[in-house]
Amino acid sequence: MKLTHLFKKTPLSWLQVTREKTRLIVAIAGIAFADFLIFTQLGFRDALFDASVKPHYVLDADLVLINPQFDTLFAVKSFSRDRLYQAKRVEGIQSLASVYIASAQWRNPETALERTTLVFGFDPSQRVFTLPEVNQKSSDLKMLNRVLYDQAGRPEFGPIVDLLQKNPDLTVQLNKKEVQVAGIFTLGASFAADSNVITSDSTFLRLFPERQPHEIDIGLVKLQPGANIEAVKVNLQALFPKNEVIVLTLKEFAEREKTYWANGTAIGFIFGLGTVVGFIVGIVIVYQILYSDVTDHLPEYATLKAMGYGDWYLVGVLMQEALLLAVLGYIPGFIVSLGVYHLASSATLLPIVMTTARAIEVLILTIIMCIASGIVAMGKLRTADPADIF
């Protein structure tokens, strides 16, 4: 009676978890490590996706025209500007614009070292970007050899903002040609490029003389207020052969980039594999803890059976123990991951941040991980036989 009274006052699962302090610490550390692995992999994966589509979402457009072979900004495929002009005949369109994209070598004005940057070229007389800094400085880009620099780029490009404050006529080398920095904007680095540069179409063609003016990379379509975007999209696509031009919404355009990094490169696979490895590591660690606990206390479980407690009760105790370990291990794993996110974001300038959705996702994975371990450990629990203690 004394033993059962104790069970009623203090849950048996809690007694089992806290009885061996060393084993509890090892279990919490193991689960926290597994959670840390999962948080890290998911954090970097999502940062890759978020950073890769930042340029897409700053385009001021409702629909986008691209070459069907265009999968990523890092390796664009062009199409004829004539196709963009054809779009004028479709009802509901307010304005059309084009964008050139290419990678160039930016020379650090202090160290003379070169790094790859992504260059966007557009007609400054048109509104192409939603970035306020770009729209305010677009008139300055009408002069040849003027560029806007992304101040959220990596520091290896040089202290451009500081240099610009000291010298408003700051000149740098881009693709081995002299250009003047007319201003700054904020976009950010990605896995494809460490920084970004925006310039006029005229300057772009000077920087990339191999490019043909009539071959554009992105066609931007702005619709009239109240126009049905899906209807206009269908009508536009009907104008073009699908092997030459496809029409996408801005979201579809961004998703195409995400799909490329997730499926078209090894990066997405590696992060996915890392998540799976973290999950498996967690299952193994929790299983070892629960199995050892059941083995060490098999006589006590057998005694409970002799007292009238059935298998399902004991299984419930084991599941409660697994859930307690999941929660206790998740908390330090979450806290450590927050610190690592901050450090990684500062070092890489990528948008590595903790989100509510990811925190919940990892918590659910942790609970599944621990319950799965408990299910595997049940086999040993069911071997507890009251006859063995007599």
Side-chain angles (χ1 to χ4, degrees):
M1 289 296 295
K2 186 176 181 180
L3 184 61
T4 56
H5 179 66
L6 178 63
F7 293 160
K8 291 177 181 177
K9 291 180 65 176
T10 306
L12 179 57
S13 56
W14 179 254
L15 292 174
Q16 292 290 83
V17 166
T18 58
R19 182 174 178 179
E20 297 286 345
K21 298 297 189 294
T22 302
R23 181 178 294 169
L24 174 62
I25 293 173
V26 171
I28 291 175
I31 296 171
F33 176 70
D35 283 345
F36 168 72
L37 284 179
I38 297 174
F39 269 124
T40 302
Q41 299 302 314
L42 293 179
F44 279 109
R45 183 202 66 182
D46 292 347
L48 182 154
F49 291 155
D50 293 342
S52 66
V53 299
K54 272 188 175 182
H56 301 66
Y57 284 116
V58 298
L59 295 174
D60 189 13
D62 298 303
L63 294 172
V64 176
L65 309 183
I66 60 171
N67 187 307
Q69 298 179 8
F70 185 148
D71 291 320
T72 173
L73 297 177
F74 196 57
V76 297
K77 299 292 182 181
S78 305
F79 66 96
S80 174
R81 187 192 297 273
D82 293 339
R83 293 302 187 186
L84 183 62
Y85 292 150
Q86 284 182 261
K88 292 181 178 180
R89 68 181 71 169
V90 176
E91 186 178 351
I93 292 179
Q94 178 174 292
S95 63
L96 300 169
S98 59
V99 179
Y100 298 100
I101 305 175
S103 297
Q105 295 301 308
W106 174 282
R107 189 175 187 181
N108 186 318
E110 289 193 332
T111 64
L113 296 177
E114 293 186 341
R115 292 187 70 91
T116 301
T117 184
L118 210 57
V119 181
F120 297 83
F122 77 109
D123 182 351
S125 64
Q126 296 178 306
R127 180 183 169 91
V128 169
F129 298 95
T130 59
L131 296 167
E133 308 100 315
V134 175
N135 295 327
Q136 291 169 7
K137 287 284 187 177
S138 60
S139 59
D140 295 341
L141 297 180
K142 293 179 180 180
M143 298 182 65
L144 195 63
N145 301 328
R146 299 293 193 275
V147 302
L148 300 179
Y149 173 75
D150 181 7
Q151 65 175 341
R154 291 189 56 80
E156 288 82 356
F157 286 83
I160 304 302
V161 177
D162 294 337
L163 293 175
L164 192 59
Q165 290 176 346
K166 298 175 183 177
N167 178 18
D169 298 323
L170 176 65
T171 299
V172 299
Q173 278 197 10
L174 184 60
N175 258 13
K176 303 189 183 303
K177 294 181 174 63
E178 296 287 334
V179 294
Q180 182 177 325
V181 180
I184 59 174
F185 64 97
T186 305
L187 185 55
S190 68
F191 279 77
D194 291 329
S195 185
N196 303 279
V197 170
I198 293 177
T199 188
S200 68
D201 47 3
S202 300
T203 301
F204 180 94
L205 294 172
R206 178 179 176 272
L207 294 171
F208 304 94
E210 72 281 1
R211 294 293 300 269
Q212 299 299 316
H214 66 279
E215 293 290 326
I216 63 175
D217 300 315
I218 302 176
L220 303 180
V221 180
K222 192 72 175 176
L223 303 186
Q224 296 174 355
N228 186 310
I229 188 170
E230 288 299 326
V232 175
K233 177 185 173 183
V234 171
N235 293 335
L236 268 177
Q237 189 62 72
L239 286 177
F240 314 125
K242 286 191 176 181
N243 62 338
E244 291 187 24
V245 177
I246 57 174
V247 184
L248 305 172
T249 63
L250 205 57
K251 183 178 180 180
E252 291 170 341
F253 184 37
E255 289 299 322
R256 192 178 183 89
E257 184 84 21
K258 286 185 178 182
T259 300
Y260 170 80
W261 288 106
N263 304 326
T265 68
I267 298 177
F269 173 78
I270 290 171
F271 286 136
L273 181 62
T275 302
V276 173
V277 169
F279 185 77
I280 293 174
V281 167
I283 288 179
V284 172
I285 291 173
V286 178
Y287 168 72
Q288 290 292 339
I289 296 297
L290 293 178
Y291 184 87
S292 298
D293 180 75
V294 171
T295 301
D296 291 348
H297 299 93
L298 206 56
E300 287 86 344
Y301 283 115
T303 300
L304 289 174
K305 279 190 175 183
M307 294 170 60
Y309 291 93
D311 283 343
W312 285 110
Y313 173 80
L314 300 181
V315 167
V317 171
L318 191 63
M319 289 297 100
Q320 291 175 35
E321 188 174 348
L323 288 173
L324 284 171
L325 289 175
V327 174
L328 293 175
Y330 174 83
I331 294 172
F334 175 81
I335 294 173
V336 171
S337 298
L338 284 177
V340 172
Y341 278 10
H342 177 72
L343 291 175
S345 179
S346 301
T348 65
L349 300 181
L350 292 173
I352 307 174
V353 295
M354 182 64 71
T355 63
T356 302
R358 189 184 308 133
I360 295 173
E361 179 183 0
V362 175
L363 177 59
I364 293 173
L365 285 175
T366 306
I367 292 173
I368 294 174
M369 176 176 68
C370 292
I371 289 178
S373 303
I375 292 174
V376 177
M378 281 181 190
K380 186 65 177 178
L381 179 62
R382 288 173 177 170
T383 64
D385 189 349
D388 292 340
I389 65 173
F390 300 109

